[in-house]
Amino acid sequence: MNNLLETQIEFLKGVGPARGELLRKELGIFKYADLINLYPNRYIDRTRYYRINELTNSGSEVQIVGKIIHLKTVGEKRTRLVATFTDGTGEMELVWFQGQKWIRENVKLNTPYVIFGKASAFNGSFNMPHPEMELLTEHEASLRSAMQAIYPSTERLAQRGITNKVVAKMMQQLFTETQALFSEVLPPSILTDLKLLSKREALFNIHFPKSQDLLAKAQFRLKFEELFFIQLQLITKNIVRKHKIKGHAFGNVGNYFNDFYSNHLPFDLTNAQKRVIREIRNDMGQPAQMNRLLQGDVGSGKTIVALMSMLLALDNGFQACLMAPTEILANQHYVGLSELAKPLGINIKILTGSTKTSERRIIHEELESGELHIIIGTHALLEDKVKFKNLGLAVIDEQHRFGVEQRSKLWRKNEIPPHVLVMTATPIPRTLAMSLYGDLDVSVIDELPPGRKPIQTVHRFDANRLKVWKFLKDEIAKGRQVYIVYPLIQESEKMDYKDLMDGYESISRDFPLPHYSVSIVHGQMKPADKDSEMARFAAGKTNIMVATTVIEVGVNVPNASVMVIESAERFGLSQLHQLRGRVGRGAEQSYCILMTGQKLSNDSQIRMETMCRTNDGFEIAEVDLKLRGPGDIMGTQQSGVLNLQIADLVKDRDILSLARQYAIALLKADPGLNLPENTPLKHAYNELAKKKNIWNYIS
């Protein structure tokens, strides 16, 4: 049966080469199977037949049974064809502006038709332009359902006459040709347990639903199946990695780790940090490669967890590296880690694009000889010249900024790949984490270090600027520092947003020397100038830092207590949250002020309210996911995995969790899918893995 579904689409009756080519180009439909999986966007309820004397001018679509008793052409220059249609309770007009010749030649007078379209009242009588028409005899004989499916389309398809009606006819033909014999792929135990429709019933009712109830059941079944296969692939990948990809078992918890933990911790670890370190120690103690995602909000203390994981590698005679996406961030990690590790006598160095050649040579030699314990760097670590004696742990910060290809270069530097700890301060909603990183084990630091006060966030309109400036002056008088962030560098004609240079000039006027001093940082400055401006601000030599979002990641100035975000309506939620995380790093109360224009879209209002309501990055990420959809959140390189045919990661998160539970249970009971009842599943899984290489999209 399934071989029939592999047939090229042009061989379906009513398609042919020209339409086949269009379907391929416009909708990616190559075979029968692709057409079956073209699921409707929405449905029109055609259970009800109206009478002409019941019509109201509501603008909704109606269906009427009646006869055409008269046809005439009206108008001189722009003619229209008008038919008088009656159903015994009254008369109305049907109107055509296009395709008049075809209608005139093919319409049968005094013969029962079912018409469907929007009826509108004009001068007391109703008319319907370009109705869908079908002979009552055909209407009753067809595979029609009460709910009419509306399929995805494109402008080009509509222009070339492939209307919704044509697609529905193709679908009908397909079901007739294949006899709807779709083989079941899910095991009987799951079907019984979840009371799922069979594959055949589900496909039939998604295209030709007999009722609302059957439609809902069909959607549930098909969404579950799609998410179940994705989870099956991810979990299998995780299991395979744990069994096949050998790793170094770090059995030794030695002097470096114990000495640091007992004598040099700058503060008590939170319970969340302790839990995560236990999870990492447990992973690294196994002879399989660790692949763990560490999520923690800005300021939750991921760096100390990374250092303690590195110390475990050192205790077992291995080296460690930390890779960050920007020089600023790499430098910050270097300064922070060197400070923490100073009493341990560890050799830590940094390698970035701007490291001098003479220093590079030393770093390369020390890495190969093993003298260098920890190297921190940017993409420079991936160069072929960089060789380790024995890399045991690779920590990657802000992972979504590195492509899969780049990361795999690190693994190839060793015969046995290093353990991998991926860190992110961009909270990823659980639903997305389950789908994008379902093959990674996830740890979350979900509490902030004690003594941190939550940042107070307020939304102010531009009209209140004077009050805001007065507040900034009061804070600076207490010895605090302020960030002011702008969305743009040069003016864009279309947008009346304050651009950075204008802002810098007006701030310099409002906060004049010698009482105040202002720094500026943006993406078009030379890295050296950027670093020196950052350094002046960090050292407290300037009170105000005017910047674009280059400061979003990783600048640590505990004395900065106010973040003003200009034109905040132009930023996404996760970006606003990242920017807010630049303050609140000291013991003082910190503030985030969101400045916007008076007119806000609905989404912008939701973003402002969410920011003022909560500091919880995960809650913010969930709202962001609802507003923007999954593809945008992960950036383009990750969006491939989200090309789902029917499921929606935001709306169907409960089905996703359910699918994951069942996939885990199934693989526990039958890891190789070798039990007879899992044979169809195994076959479908192997076919899918051939076609859709999901791991291309996943770290």
Side-chain angles (χ1 to χ4, degrees), residues 451-620:
R452 285 273 172 95
K453 295 187 176 125
I455 300 163
Q456 283 187 17
T457 304
V458 293
H459 170 214
R460 295 287 179 262
F461 292 110
D462 289 337
N464 304 17
R465 189 168 296 281
L466 288 174
K467 279 188 180 162
V468 173
W469 270 197
K470 161 91 170 65
F471 174 73
L472 297 188
K473 287 177 175 169
D474 293 346
E475 283 292 296
I476 292 170
K478 295 181 197 163
R480 315 263 189 275
Q481 289 164 283
V482 176
Y483 291 107
I484 301 178
V485 177
Y486 286 86
L488 292 168
I489 294 187
Q490 250 90 42
E491 240 174 314
S492 136
E493 286 77 17
K494 291 183 191 149
M495 298 186 179
D496 56 351
Y497 293 112
K498 304 174 191 44
D499 91 289
L500 185 76
M501 301 328 282
D502 264 9
Y504 176 64
E505 281 164 25
S506 71
I507 287 162
S508 302
R509 278 197 303 277
D510 294 337
F511 295 86
L513 290 161
H515 301 296
Y516 304 98
S517 112
V518 183
S519 285
I520 181 165
V521 172
H522 57 76
Q524 297 183 359
M525 291 165 75
K526 292 194 180 96
D529 297 346
K530 229 189 280 184
D531 290 345
S532 82
E533 282 288 277
M534 290 278 199
R536 285 177 61 213
F537 185 66
K541 291 178 182 157
T542 57
N543 324 94
I544 298 176
M545 161 71 79
V546 175
T548 54
T549 49
V550 288
I551 61 146
E552 176 186 344
V553 173
V555 194
N556 194 7
V557 182
N559 190 45
S561 67
V562 187
M563 165 65 71
V564 179
I565 303 175
E566 291 283 0
S567 304
E569 68 269 34
R570 297 208 47 236
F571 292 94
L573 259 179
S574 60
Q575 220 179 3
L576 290 171
H577 181 62
Q578 286 284 334
L579 286 166
R580 171 166 65 184
R582 298 294 112 231
V583 296
R585 302 192 148 224
E588 307 306 331
Q589 177 62 58
S590 289
Y591 305 90
C592 174
I593 303 170
L594 307 169
M595 302 293 295
T596 70
Q598 209 65 39
K599 282 187 183 156
L600 289 183
S601 71
N602 195 22
D603 280 7
S604 299
Q605 261 167 322
I606 294 173
R607 289 202 293 268
M608 298 309 128
E609 283 160 16
T610 306
M611 286 293 293
C612 295
R613 187 185 76 244
T614 179
N615 278 302
D616 177 346
F618 288 94
E619 193 183 331
I620 286 168

Side-chain angles (χ1 to χ4, degrees), residues 84-304:
T84 308
F85 183 81
T86 176
D87 70 346
T89 71
E91 286 186 356
M92 67 186 291
E93 288 188 338
L94 310 182
V95 186
W96 292 270
F97 296 97
Q98 279 132 10
Q100 297 178 27
K101 182 171 180 287
W102 191 90
I103 297 284
R104 185 180 286 290
E105 288 169 5
N106 289 285
V107 133
K108 296 176 177 166
L109 293 181
N110 297 310
T111 310
Y113 275 97
V114 177
I115 64 163
F116 177 80
K118 274 189 184 163
S120 45
F122 183 68
N123 283 344
S125 67
F126 279 89
N127 67 42
M128 187 184 284
H130 288 271
E132 277 186 34
M133 292 179 60
E134 191 172 22
L135 285 166
L136 182 61
T137 49
E138 284 180 13
H139 178 81
E140 286 168 343
S142 73
L143 250 183
R144 171 165 312 279
S145 64
M147 318 286 302
Q148 188 192 338
I150 303 295
Y151 291 97
S153 186
T154 66
E155 215 173 311
R156 192 134 175 263
L157 287 175
Q159 283 167 353
R160 302 285 291 276
I162 300 186
T163 58
N164 194 66
K165 196 173 171 187
V166 169
V167 176
K169 257 206 153 60
M170 289 176 186
M171 206 61 84
Q172 219 170 308
Q173 181 60 31
L174 183 60
F175 271 80
T176 312
E177 281 189 30
T178 54
Q179 299 295 311
L181 290 172
F182 303 107
S183 43
E184 187 52 74
V185 292
L186 293 177
S189 55
I190 293 182
L191 292 173
T192 318
D193 214 14
L194 292 173
K195 302 188 174 64
L196 296 179
L197 291 186
S198 70
K199 176 86 173 194
R200 180 187 167 181
E201 287 174 295
L203 284 170
F204 188 84
N205 279 290
I206 203 88
H207 293 295
F208 310 105
K210 297 218 174 82
S211 66
Q212 286 283 7
D213 179 50
L214 277 167
L215 173 61
K217 285 181 172 158
Q219 286 172 325
F220 184 87
R221 149 76 208 229
L222 294 168
K223 287 174 177 186
F224 177 86
E225 182 181 319
E226 181 166 42
L227 295 168
F228 178 75
F229 273 102
I230 287 181
Q231 292 305 321
L232 214 51
Q233 286 185 299
L234 289 167
I235 297 156
T236 305
K237 188 187 172 199
N238 194 342
I239 293 171
V240 165
R241 199 189 51 244
K242 285 182 176 161
H243 291 293
K244 294 262 177 71
I245 301 185
K246 294 282 172 272
H248 304 284
F250 295 165
N252 202 3
V253 179
N255 287 343
Y256 284 127
F257 187 93
N258 289 329
D259 180 21
F260 181 77
Y261 187 70
S262 308
N263 308 319
H264 305 297
L265 264 180
F267 47 75
D268 288 340
L269 295 178
T270 61
N271 288 329
Q273 285 172 313
K274 287 178 184 166
R275 182 190 68 238
V276 168
I277 290 169
R278 271 200 304 278
E279 289 168 351
I280 291 170
R281 266 178 56 175
N282 187 28
D283 277 3
M284 287 166 62
Q286 312 294 326
Q289 185 198 26
M290 167 173 86
N291 231 351
R292 193 165 274 282
L293 173 69
L294 172 58
Q295 289 185 264
D297 226 331
V298 180
S300 59
K302 293 185 295 294
T303 312
I304 207 129

Side-chain angles (χ1 to χ4, degrees), residues 297-577:
D297 226 331
V298 180
S300 59
K302 293 185 295 294
T303 312
I304 207 129
V305 170
L307 175 65
M308 292 178 76
S309 310
M310 291 174 169
L311 296 179
L312 277 174
L314 270 54
D315 276 336
N316 287 274
F318 285 87
Q319 297 163 301
C321 74
L322 189 157
M323 189 160 84
T326 62
E327 287 205 15
I328 290 176
L329 199 48
N331 274 311
Q332 190 173 309
H333 279 306
Y334 175 63
V335 171
L337 290 172
S338 305
E339 191 60 35
L340 286 168
K342 197 185 278 171
L344 303 174
I346 291 171
N347 184 0
I348 300 186
K349 290 207 162 86
I350 181 166
L351 178 65
T352 66
S354 45
T355 306
K356 294 191 179 74
T357 314
S358 53
E359 289 170 25
R360 271 170 196 266
R361 207 170 298 126
I362 296 167
I363 288 173
H364 290 160
E365 284 167 10
E366 289 188 354
L367 270 180
E368 283 200 66
S369 70
E371 276 171 80
L372 185 49
H373 298 115
I374 295 176
I375 179 89
I376 291 162
T378 53
H379 296 78
L381 294 179
L382 301 174
E383 290 167 6
D384 294 338
K385 292 198 271 307
V386 179
K387 294 189 173 65
F388 292 83
K389 181 181 183 198
N390 53 1
L391 178 61
L393 171 68
V395 181
I396 297 175
D397 198 15
E398 290 307 331
Q399 103 112 29
H400 54 281
R401 302 196 174 206
F402 295 105
V404 178
E405 186 51 40
Q406 291 172 313
R407 292 195 300 275
S408 62
K409 281 188 178 171
L410 263 183
W411 309 176
R412 294 188 208 124
K413 294 180 183 286
N414 269 36
E415 259 174 64
I416 293 184
H419 292 296
V420 180
L421 181 65
V422 168
M423 300 198 298
T424 179
T426 311
I428 302 159
R430 282 204 58 231
T431 25
L432 263 190
M434 276 194 288
S435 342
L436 285 163
Y437 300 113
D439 63 318
L440 298 184
D441 299 304
V442 180
S443 291
V444 179
I445 304 182
D446 47 13
E447 56 183 310
L448 289 178
R452 285 273 172 95
K453 295 187 176 125
I455 300 163
Q456 283 187 17
T457 304
V458 293
H459 170 214
R460 295 287 179 262
F461 292 110
D462 289 337
N464 304 17
R465 189 168 296 281
L466 288 174
K467 279 188 180 162
V468 173
W469 270 197
K470 161 91 170 65
F471 174 73
L472 297 188
K473 287 177 175 169
D474 293 346
E475 283 292 296
I476 292 170
K478 295 181 197 163
R480 315 263 189 275
Q481 289 164 283
V482 176
Y483 291 107
I484 301 178
V485 177
Y486 286 86
L488 292 168
I489 294 187
Q490 250 90 42
E491 240 174 314
S492 136
E493 286 77 17
K494 291 183 191 149
M495 298 186 179
D496 56 351
Y497 293 112
K498 304 174 191 44
D499 91 289
L500 185 76
M501 301 328 282
D502 264 9
Y504 176 64
E505 281 164 25
S506 71
I507 287 162
S508 302
R509 278 197 303 277
D510 294 337
F511 295 86
L513 290 161
H515 301 296
Y516 304 98
S517 112
V518 183
S519 285
I520 181 165
V521 172
H522 57 76
Q524 297 183 359
M525 291 165 75
K526 292 194 180 96
D529 297 346
K530 229 189 280 184
D531 290 345
S532 82
E533 282 288 277
M534 290 278 199
R536 285 177 61 213
F537 185 66
K541 291 178 182 157
T542 57
N543 324 94
I544 298 176
M545 161 71 79
V546 175
T548 54
T549 49
V550 288
I551 61 146
E552 176 186 344
V553 173
V555 194
N556 194 7
V557 182
N559 190 45
S561 67
V562 187
M563 165 65 71
V564 179
I565 303 175
E566 291 283 0
S567 304
E569 68 269 34
R570 297 208 47 236
F571 292 94
L573 259 179
S574 60
Q575 220 179 3
L576 290 171
H577 181 62

